[in-house]
Amino acid sequence: MTSLDLQSNPVHELLHISFNQDYSCLACGTETGFKVYNADPLRLTDPFRAQIGKDFLPGGGIGIVAMLLRTNILALAGGGRSPRYQPHKIVLWDDRQARTIAELSFRSAVRAVRLRRDLIVAVLNNKVFVYGFRSLSLLDSIETTSNPKGLCCLSTGNDRAVLVCPGMQQGRALVIYYPRAFGESQAPVQRERTTIVAAHESPVAAMATDFAGSLLATASDKGTI
């Protein structure tokens, strides 16, 4: 078993941790910025590319880091005691150029971000917004029950996009199927299909899908799966 001590220095306090879409990389947000690790073997430097990561000192807290596969594009949101960015803003960061390339702002704090090559999904406490990656056009908005954990799944395969998030009722999961090339649209396009899964009687605590979005696993706050 390999371990990394990210918090030997208090300024490196861990605020967020997530895998990229194929689980080959691990992204960590800290009080001073973010770092990306190769998952296997577990190490900071990837021999096939330059090291990914940025320390923003002072005031560099990053509360959310979302990678786009193994590219140099990441989505960031501020967090911690001294956020680098406002928590209600998503910043698209080009790590190769070390600069911001786009921003999305909201009226409340961002709870999670999901990416695929054609879509950006912003998860707020009671709403999910779906944007085209290239155009940054708003393509869909979804009302949800209270979602402080930012629960949301987005398929990452080359087929149609499938999005899963909490429904409007406790214990329900909303599954939305979008048509092919949905992310290339310049304006909202009708959904292909929407399904409500009555997964649990108690609130949904976790959810996950496979690469294609064909399988869904959920867990409740009572421990049922």
Side-chain angles (χ1 to χ4, degrees):
M1 179 181 294
T2 304
S3 63
L4 294 171
D5 182 7
L6 293 173
Q7 299 187 191
S8 55
N9 186 332
V11 300
H12 293 152
E13 181 178 347
L14 194 62
L15 302 176
H16 174 88
I17 188 167
S18 65
F19 284 100
N20 67 341
Q21 290 83 352
D22 64 2
Y23 298 94
S24 62
C25 291
L26 187 67
C28 302
T30 73
E31 286 285 359
T32 61
F34 71 93
K35 297 182 183 296
V36 174
Y37 296 84
N38 192 71
D40 188 17
L42 187 59
R43 59 190 173 198
L44 182 61
T45 303
D46 188 330
F48 299 106
R49 60 178 299 159
Q51 177 178 311
I52 306 175
K54 180 70 175 178
D55 281 331
F56 302 108
L57 288 172
I62 298 296
I64 295 174
V65 188
M67 298 183 66
L68 178 61
L69 300 171
R70 292 184 71 99
T71 71
N72 52 298
I73 304 300
L74 304 97
L76 309 174
R81 292 184 294 271
S82 184
R84 172 66 179 180
Y85 308 109
Q86 296 173 333
H88 64 266
K89 179 183 293 186
I90 293 174
V91 171
L92 291 183
W93 176 265
D94 185 333
D95 202 66
R96 183 172 299 162
Q97 301 181 48
R99 68 180 184 91
T100 298
I101 56 175
E103 295 182 357
L104 294 169
S105 295
F106 306 92
R107 294 183 179 179
S108 59
V110 177
R111 301 299 187 184
V113 182
R114 300 290 182 262
L115 300 179
R116 50 181 276 156
R117 290 190 182 275
D118 55 347
L119 295 175
I120 302 170
V121 176
V123 185
L124 311 187
N125 191 67
N126 291 97
K127 203 146 189 176
V128 176
F129 294 98
V130 183
Y131 294 87
F133 204 107
R134 293 176 182 271
S135 66
L136 296 183
S137 299
L138 179 61
L139 303 180
D140 198 5
S141 60
I142 306 152
E143 298 281 350
T144 72
T145 189
S146 179
N147 186 18
K149 293 182 178 179
L151 300 179
C152 183
C153 301
L154 181 66
S155 67
T156 55
N158 295 325
D159 205 346
R160 66 184 180 186
V162 180
L163 185 148
V164 186
C165 62
M168 286 294 291
Q169 293 181 298
Q170 178 176 287
R172 268 50 175 176
L174 181 66
V175 185
I176 301 173
Y177 301 85
Y178 293 109
R180 294 176 184 272
F182 174 75
E184 304 301 323
S185 308
Q186 299 296 317
V189 175
Q190 187 173 359
R191 300 171 184 173
E192 185 175 290
R193 181 160 54 98
T194 301
T195 301
I196 298 175
V197 179
H200 306 278
E201 294 182 358
S202 57
V204 177
M207 57 174 58
T209 61
D210 63 344
F211 187 74
S214 58
L215 298 173
L216 170 65
T218 64
S220 76
D221 65 358
K222 291 185 177 181
T224 56
I225 298 175

